[in-house]
Structure formats: C-alpha cells, structure tokens
C-alpha cells in the first residue's frame, strides 16, 4: 500500500496517540533500569512503546524502523522511521511531566514528517517538510526573524554551560535560562516561540529528527554548534534558534567572543 504524506502523518499520529495513552496509564506501574550511567534510564514503558510503534509502523508502511531502545537500520536510504519512545525518561520517572513520544519519517536521511507528543500537556506537534507545522492541528506561525537572543529565553543544560563559558555569558544577557530535560520538547519550545535558542552538545537521531521538521517549517535555524549543517543520521551537537538569535549565538560562541 502506498500512502501519501498526509496519510503517513495520520498513521504516525495515530500510533503516537496510542503510545502516549500507554505512557500515561502506565505511570505508576513501570520498572526502571540504568544504561550507560546512573542517570541514563530506561523503563519497561520505553521498551513496550518502542515495540508497539515499530511493529505498527512497519506493518502498515513496510518501512524500516530505528528506535533508541534496540531497533537499528542498515541504511538510511529511502524512507526510515526514527523513534524515541520516551524522550525525557528521567522526567517520566521523576516528575511525570516534560516527556515526549517522538516519531519522524526520514527520506534518504532527511527528516520529512515529524510528530512530537507532549504527553503530560496532551499536545501533539506535527509537521510535513514543505507543508507546514501544527499544534493540535492548528498551524504554527513563523518564529520572529529579527529578534535577538537578548529578548528571549535560552535553553541549555548545566553540561553546556560548564563546557561553554561564553554560552553562560549569553544566558546572563538573555531574558532567562530554562532546561526541560527532553531535547524534542526543547526544540519545540523554540518552534512555538517560547524560547529563542536551544543548545545541546550531544543529541542522537531519535532525540531531534521529528522536532527538526517542526522547527524548520516555522523558520527555526537548526545546525551543529559550529554552524555546519545538521545531518540527523549522526550524533552530535545542535543549535536550534530563531534566525537572528542563531546568527548572534554562533558569532559569540564560535567566531568572535567579544
Ligand atoms: C535525553 C533527553 C535529554 C538530553 C539527553 C537525551 P532520553 O533523551 O532528550 O534532554 O539531554 O541527551 O539522551 O534518554 O530521555 O530519551
Ligand atoms: Ca531521547
Ligand atoms: Ca528515550
């Protein structure tokens, strides 16, 4: 069966809606394990949701699936689903808010459809490359082009502030600092004009593939921290920001610190 972009988006939204329901209903009954460190968590819900999403998407579309909790692909040629079953697992475990289910369809490595569900807020962000981005089905407007980081919130973790003293200085000059603990939702904060920039030193494809489409559709610039293009197939840094804020942050971090 060949589906068009709208049908593929609808398929992804339906699966993400089901996954979000499971996350919400399982919030008192999961088990937690650690992965690479004591703060790198996975729950039985992450694994169950990834299983559900990958099997549904694969059976409906036939496309291969990459997911954080164990699904890998041999190649990014053609269409590939990229899944983070819970982005913000620490939040899922510790606070039960600010966690997302994130599903992207990449075509030859380019994120083309993005679905990010802010589960606790019951809000679905969607986008199709070249067609727009939506919040619960309502179009998301463009981000401000000519607004400085000084007029906005900057999002970064303490790891970035420690590693990049110039970023800490930019935060001091801005309207304020936030950190939510879900890279997908942090990108979406920039796309929905709540924050001027998001900086992270080390994101994986599943953290940002879906949010990248949402960002790009509303004019957010998404690059690596040195300004080079962000190829979502590879892990690395991200700078997602409104256009002027992006240029300013880049200038101050990488070109001229004065
Ligand atoms: C994590 C979150 C977090 C970011 C980490 C990610 P996870 O994803 O997006 O905000 O700082 O780098 O690994 O592990 O909760 O899916
Ligand atoms: Ca993640
Ligand atoms: Ca995850």
């Amino acid at each position: 069966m060949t589906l068009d972009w709208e049908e593929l988006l609808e398929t992804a939204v339906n699966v993400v809606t089901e996954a979000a329901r499971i996350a919400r209903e399982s919030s008192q009954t999961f088990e937690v394990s650690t992965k690479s460190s004591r703060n790198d968590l996975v729950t039985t819900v992450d694994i169950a949701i990834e299983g559900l999403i990958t099997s549904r998407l694969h059976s409906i579309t036939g496309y291969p699936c990459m997911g954080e909790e164990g699904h890998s692909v041999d190649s990014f040629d053609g269409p590939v689903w990229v899944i983070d079953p819970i982005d913000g697992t620490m939040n899922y475990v510790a606070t039960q808010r600010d966690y997302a289910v994130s599903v992207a369809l990449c075509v030859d490595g380019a994120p083309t459809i993005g679905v990010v569900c802010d589960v606790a807020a019951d809000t679905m962000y969607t986008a199709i490359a070249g067609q727009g981005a939506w919040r619960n089905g309502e179009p998301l407007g463009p981000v401000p082009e000519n607004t400085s980081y000084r007029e906005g919130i900057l999002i970064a973790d303490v790891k970035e502030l420690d590693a990049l003293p110039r970023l800490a200085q930019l935060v001091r000059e801005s309207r304020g600092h936030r950190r939510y603990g879900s890279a997908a939702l942090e990108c979406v904060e920039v796309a929905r004009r709540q924050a001027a920039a998001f900086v992270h030193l080390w994101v994986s494809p599943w953290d940002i593939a879906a949010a990248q489409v949402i960002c790009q559709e509303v004019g957010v610039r998404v690059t690596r921290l040195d300004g080079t293009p962000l190829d979502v197939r590879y892990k690395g840094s991200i700078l997602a920001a409104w256009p002027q804020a992006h240029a300013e942050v880049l200038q101050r971090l990488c070109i001229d610190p004065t």
Side-chain angles (χ1 to χ4, degrees):
M1 178 170 40
T2 307
L3 301 177
D4 64 25
W5 296 126
E6 284 80 12
E7 290 166 331
L8 287 163
L9 175 62
E10 191 185 339
T11 301
V13 166
N14 289 341
V15 178
V16 169
T17 302
E18 172 73 0
R21 187 187 61 74
I22 291 170
R24 222 178 275 117
E25 289 178 359
S26 310
S27 65
Q28 305 303 319
T29 55
F30 57 81
E31 288 168 27
V32 188
S33 316
T34 54
K35 298 194 288 183
S36 60
S37 73
R38 64 186 285 269
N39 289 333
D40 184 12
L41 307 180
V42 59
T43 72
T44 43
V45 181
D46 294 69
I47 291 164
I49 288 178
E50 182 163 316
L52 169 91
I53 296 175
T54 51
S55 69
R56 286 270 177 86
L57 290 180
H58 185 70
S59 73
I60 294 170
T61 65
Y63 303 157
C65 296
M66 167 193 259
E68 179 177 15
E69 309 304 344
H71 291 81
S72 56
V73 291
D74 295 331
S75 146
F76 267 101
D77 292 348
V80 173
W81 293 106
V82 178
I83 297 135
D84 197 337
I86 298 182
D87 183 51
T89 299
M90 179 59 81
N91 290 345
Y92 185 67
V93 171
T95 66
Q96 289 287 313
R97 58 178 161 75
D98 298 321
Y99 67 93
V101 179
S102 173
V103 170
L105 181 67
C106 291
V107 179
D108 296 327
T112 303
I113 286 176
V115 178
V116 174
C117 179
D118 181 340
V119 180
D122 197 15
T123 303
M124 191 77 74
Y125 298 93
T126 55
I128 302 176
Q131 294 190 30
W134 301 271
R135 177 180 185 272
N136 287 339
E138 295 296 319
L140 277 178
V143 297
E145 276 209 33
N146 303 313
T147 299
S148 168
Y149 71 92
R150 292 171 188 271
E151 304 306 320
I153 298 283
L154 300 193
I155 302 176
D157 187 52
V158 69
K159 285 192 283 300
E160 282 71 34
L161 300 177
D162 281 349
L164 303 166
R166 291 177 198 170
L167 180 63
Q169 181 55 31
L170 293 178
V171 165
R172 283 183 213 106
E173 295 164 7
S174 75
R175 299 300 291 270
H177 171 241
R178 298 290 183 277
R179 161 66 169 159
Y180 299 95
S182 157
L185 291 180
E186 288 165 329
C187 288
V188 166
E189 282 293 288
V190 180
R192 56 191 288 253
R193 294 178 277 179
Q194 305 293 303
F198 166 55
V199 174
H200 199 298
L201 288 170
W202 192 247
V203 287
S204 297
W206 43 82
D207 295 320
I208 52 148
Q212 191 178 347
V213 194
I214 297 165
C215 280
Q216 287 174 348
E217 285 306 300
V218 295
V220 174
R221 295 234 169 103
V222 182
T223 64
R224 296 298 185 193
L225 211 41
D226 61 0
T228 56
L230 191 158
D231 185 333
V232 82
R233 294 173 293 179
Y234 305 104
K235 297 184 181 198
S237 64
I238 182 170
L239 167 60
W242 303 342
Q244 183 177 327
H246 187 280
E248 292 169 335
V249 171
L250 205 54
Q251 173 80 13
R252 291 283 295 283
L253 286 187
C254 303
I255 302 167
D256 177 6
T258 55

